[in-house]
Amino acid sequence: VLQNLSQTPVLRELLKEAKIPGTTIKIESPELCMEPQLIKLDHPGPLTLAMHQFVTEMQETKKGVVTPKELFAQVCKKAIRFKGYQQQDSHELLRYLLDGMRAEE
């Protein structure tokens, strides 16, 4: 899930813009024929910042291995069910991650 998200160009650009406090982000989707959405972000939350950091590391690192420790810690704060390293479905992680970032808007 995280590897796929890190390879999503629109998400990378939105996270880059969301990192700056007071930014207004314009989301357009010509494929869905929707009107553009304007979202004003006062200050990015810890989950959003952790996601930005992770995506940046995935794109820029030459190490070969990237561990999402901080991102996972932030997800666990929003969804306690992920603590303890029990097996979870990837779609649950995706849902809690995206819902948690949206709640920080």
Side-chain angles (χ1 to χ4, degrees):
V1 167
L2 294 177
Q3 287 175 334
N4 287 328
L5 289 175
S6 73
Q7 297 301 314
T8 306
V10 174
L11 179 63
R12 286 195 315 257
E13 289 303 313
L14 287 173
L15 286 170
K16 192 183 305 180
E17 291 179 29
K19 185 179 170 202
I20 304 166
T23 300
T24 299
I25 298 174
K26 183 178 183 180
I27 299 174
E28 298 181 82
S29 181
E31 298 86 24
L32 299 177
C33 300
M34 294 174 49
E35 290 186 29
Q37 302 288 318
L38 293 175
I39 300 172
K40 182 167 173 43
L41 302 173
D42 293 327
H43 186 68
L47 182 59
T48 303
L49 289 174
M51 184 64 180
H52 175 266
Q53 177 186 350
F54 172 75
V55 168
T56 301
E57 286 179 18
M58 285 289 290
Q59 293 299 308
E60 296 178 357
T61 189
K62 304 275 193 255
K63 293 186 288 187
V65 176
V66 175
T67 57
K69 289 180 185 176
E70 179 60 27
L71 180 57
F72 184 67
Q74 293 301 324
V75 169
C76 288
K77 287 180 182 177
K78 302 274 184 189
I80 297 172
R81 72 181 330 167
F82 288 100
K83 286 186 178 180
Y85 300 98
Q86 295 177 7
Q87 186 171 340
Q88 302 289 335
D89 291 333
S90 60
H91 72 277
E92 290 178 3
L93 172 68
L94 177 62
R95 189 180 89 212
Y96 283 106
L97 177 63
L98 297 178
D99 285 347
M101 287 172 42
R102 181 165 184 210
E104 292 180 343
E105 291 178 356

